[in-house]
């Protein structure tokens, strides 16, 4: 079923959202992006005369009640965002009566799902090495099913709009779907958009396709790099991983960050790109600093000849131009990870050059997907969020999807 085709009139919908919003020490929301992200789905259901049972996790309470992670703290903000009163269920597994009493247009917010270990389905208080672990895991999986069944019993239909947790097989993100038939479970609008975005860069690709992978380490990106290798025309590898590649090829990198145990891997990536006809664009020069600080002295030097006592912290002018050239002509663009230590204002030039080239290509009709916390932060920092096609809300979920893994939250609904 799709959310657009479903008739929510007089139906109770249990909706998994990602309201894991950051709070300050007084419990006030410091960034409500995730709440705003779920509004199209929630408002659509209310507007059609449905009743809403909203469920989410917040933080990592590890299966225990923790008032600092109570969703009661955000009930007023959810109410204001929805323009409707929000009732609160202080125990998500004991909300039968409140759910049963809900009328069309009414909203019930359940307490943090992760106050129950059943949500994540991992046994607590027992070590993986313990001989009794497997038994405990089995028992927990059984109680996870019971927990999911209880949640499912509150509603007529299930909507998953929590892309941020779609890579987890939790009670509320996947297991619950087993208790609804195919006509009564669906993805929310946000999930639909995320799934479509991933499809645009993995299946429905318009060439040339340029992927830009940055950030600090090659090891955390290798799954994505390998999955993209068969799809991209241009692969820009930048940021901290530049120096692992430079060292692997015999360069001097001073104090630049480097994964010494990934030098072989770097050479293998270079060989794979060559064999597959992928234009691999690595940084050739860099802006080095004499300290890891915004106020460090700077010098531009080759990425494979960084002087002792200096470290490469941003892409140099020649690299920026090469990156921009590979981006400008693209019709599909994926960006994950900054090209330098963009948190320091004096080392943002590489990331800015990438962001600007993406905006320009998008203006010219390219499809651009920005994903992963830091590249999203970059695009926002440079004020270019409106000039890209899509900014993903999911960190880990997006990365796993781009690696080509099936997301349990999506599979539970789409099969
Ligand atoms: P990741 O979480 O792997 O995507 O990495 C993001 C982080 O990489 C950001 O905090 C950047 O500051 C950092 N980063 C990017 N380029 C460099 C560099 N040349 N040296 C050190 N850190 C970097």
């Amino acid at each position: 079923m799709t959310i657009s085709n479903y008739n929510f009139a007089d139906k109770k919908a249990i909706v998994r959202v990602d309201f894991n919003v950051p709070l300050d020490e007084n419990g006030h929301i410091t960034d409500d992006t995730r709440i705003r992200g779920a509004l199209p789905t929630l408002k659509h259901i209310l507007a059609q005369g449905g009743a809403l049972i909203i469920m989410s996790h917040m933080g990592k309470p590890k299966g225990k009640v923790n008032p600092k992670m109570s969703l009661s703290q955000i009930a007023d903000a959810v109410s204001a965002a929805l323009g409707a009163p929000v009732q609160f269920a202080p125990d998500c597994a004991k909300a039968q009566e409140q759910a049963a009493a809900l009328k069309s247009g009414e909203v019930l917010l359940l307490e943090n799902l992760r106050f129950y270990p059943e949500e994540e389905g991992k046994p607590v208080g027992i070590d993986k090495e313990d001989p009794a672990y497997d038994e405990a895991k089995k028992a927990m999986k059984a109680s996870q099913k019971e927990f999911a069944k209880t949640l499912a019993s509150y509603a007529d239909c299930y909507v998953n709009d929590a892309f941020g947790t779609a890579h987890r097989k939790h009670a509320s993100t996947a297991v619950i779907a087993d208790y609804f038939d195919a006509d009564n479970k669906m993805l929310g609008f946000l999930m639909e958009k995320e799934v479509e975005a991933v499809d645009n860069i993995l299946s429905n690709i318009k060439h040339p396709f340029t992927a830009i992978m940055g950030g600090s380490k090659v090891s955390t990106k290798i799954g994505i790099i390998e999955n993209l290798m068969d799809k991209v025309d241009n692969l820009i590898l930048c940021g901290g991983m530049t120096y692992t590649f430079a060292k692997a090829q015999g360069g001097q990198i001073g104090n630049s960050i480097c994964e010494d145990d990934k030098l072989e891997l770097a050479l293998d990536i270079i060989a794979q790109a060559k064999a597959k006809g992928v234009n691999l664009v690595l940084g050739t020069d860099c802006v080095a600093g004499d300290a890891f600080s915004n106020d460090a002295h700077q010098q531009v030097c080759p990425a494979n000849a960084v002087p002792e006592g200096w470290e490469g912290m941003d892409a140099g002018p020649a690299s920026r131009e090469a990156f921009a050239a590979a981006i400008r002509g693209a019709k599909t663009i994926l960006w994950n990870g900054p090209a330098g230590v963009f948190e320091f204002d004096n080392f943002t030039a590489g990331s800015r050059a990438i962001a600007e080239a993406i905006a320009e290509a998008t203006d010219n009709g390219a499809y651009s997907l920005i994903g992963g916390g830091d590249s999203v932060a970059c695009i926002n920092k440079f004020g270019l969020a409106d000039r890209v096609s899509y900014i993903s809300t999911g960190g880990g979920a997006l990365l796993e999807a781009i690696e080509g893994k099936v997301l349990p939250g999506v599979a539970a609904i789409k099969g």
Side-chain angles (χ1 to χ4, degrees):
M1 179 51 70
T2 67
I3 184 165
S4 310
N5 292 336
Y6 195 79
N7 182 0
F8 289 95
D10 299 319
K11 291 275 169 55
K12 288 187 181 115
I14 189 157
V15 187
R16 176 55 155 104
V17 294
D18 180 3
F19 281 177
N20 182 24
V21 288
L23 302 177
D24 65 16
E25 60 277 12
N26 300 317
H28 295 132
I29 298 171
T30 53
D31 179 353
D32 68 350
T33 309
R34 288 178 172 158
I35 295 180
R36 284 187 283 112
L39 286 182
T41 291
L42 301 177
K43 286 188 165 172
H44 173 78
I45 295 169
L46 287 180
Q48 280 204 349
L52 276 178
I53 300 153
I54 304 174
M55 57 177 175
S56 177
H57 76 283
M58 178 182 272
K60 293 183 175 160
K62 304 218 160 94
K64 288 202 203 84
V65 174
N66 180 339
K68 285 206 170 113
M69 299 176 198
S70 172
L71 285 171
S72 61
Q73 302 170 96
I74 68 162
D76 287 347
V78 175
S79 169
L82 279 176
V86 169
Q87 303 169 41
F88 186 69
D91 186 332
C92 63
K94 297 199 174 86
Q96 286 86 352
E97 281 180 26
Q98 280 173 290
L102 272 189
K103 294 195 193 64
S104 165
E106 292 186 341
V107 184
L108 177 65
L109 174 65
L110 304 185
E111 181 56 289
N112 193 342
L113 295 157
R114 289 193 190 166
F115 285 180
Y116 279 88
E118 285 82 357
E119 165 62 1
E120 294 181 78
K122 277 193 236 129
V124 274
I126 179 161
D127 202 78
K128 273 198 175 142
E129 311 303 317
D130 195 311
Y133 183 83
D134 284 351
E135 268 312 301
K137 194 170 164 195
K138 233 161 117 189
M140 177 51 86
K141 287 286 167 206
S143 41
Q144 184 183 48
K145 282 189 182 164
E146 283 307 308
F147 180 67
K149 194 173 169 186
T150 301
L151 296 171
S153 73
Y154 301 158
D156 303 301
C157 63
Y158 167 63
V159 183
N160 189 354
D161 213 18
F163 186 68
T165 47
H167 57 318
R168 307 278 181 229
K169 193 173 179 190
H170 291 171
S172 67
T173 61
V175 184
I176 187 175
D178 290 344
Y179 300 96
F180 293 91
D181 61 35
D183 290 341
N184 289 302
K185 57 185 170 189
M186 63 215 88
L187 301 178
F189 289 121
L190 177 66
M191 277 280 257
E192 280 187 346
K193 274 200 285 186
E194 295 278 359
V195 169
E196 187 192 316
V198 171
D199 197 49
N200 281 341
I201 57 146
L202 290 189
S203 321
N204 199 6
I205 306 165
K206 293 199 182 70
H207 291 273
F209 178 9
T210 297
I212 308 119
M213 307 299 302
S216 53
K217 294 179 175 172
V218 62
S219 54
T220 55
K221 308 275 156 105
I222 184 63
I224 302 177
I225 292 171
E226 288 187 334
N227 193 36
L228 289 176
M229 198 65 96
D230 288 323
K231 305 178 192 299
V232 294
D233 303 285
N234 304 298
L235 179 61
I236 298 172
L237 297 180
C238 54
M241 58 180 125
T242 305
Y243 309 97
T244 300
F245 281 87
K247 187 165 176 181
Q249 295 176 94
Q252 303 296 319
I253 59 167
N255 290 344
S256 309
I257 57 167
C258 177
E259 289 176 282
D260 281 321
D261 59 338
K262 295 290 175 289
L263 301 180
E264 283 294 317
L265 178 68
L267 293 178
D268 185 50
I269 291 171
I270 294 172
Q272 274 188 51
K274 207 168 180 185
K276 295 189 170 165
V278 170
N279 174 32
L280 180 64
V281 187
L282 291 164
T284 51
D285 60 349
C286 68
V287 180
D290 60 357
F292 192 73
S293 127
N294 187 44
D295 302 322
H297 294 107
Q298 294 192 353
Q299 66 165 296
V300 171
C301 57
N304 60 5
V306 181
E308 274 313 312
W310 292 73
E311 63 181 297
M313 288 166 65
D314 196 6
S319 306
R320 299 198 291 262
E321 189 37 50
F323 298 165
I327 294 167
R328 272 192 218 108
K331 284 278 164 270
T332 302
I333 302 164
L334 166 69
W335 182 24
N336 170 265
V341 188
F342 79 103
E343 296 92 335
F344 297 153
D345 286 345
N346 293 335
F347 293 91
T348 54
S351 303
R352 186 185 290 274
I354 288 172
E356 283 173 354
I358 294 175
E360 201 182 303
T362 312
D363 287 346
N364 291 330
Y367 176 82
S368 53
L369 169 59
I370 317 298
D374 281 325
S375 13
V376 176
C378 278
I379 277 286
N380 288 329
K381 182 167 181 155
F382 306 141
L384 293 169
D386 295 345
R387 289 180 56 204
V388 298
S389 308
Y390 191 68
I391 298 180
S392 174
T393 59
L398 178 81
L399 300 188
E400 288 200 15
I402 302 172
E403 278 181 41
K405 293 187 185 154
V406 173
L407 301 180
V410 177
I413 286 176
K414 297 184 99 181

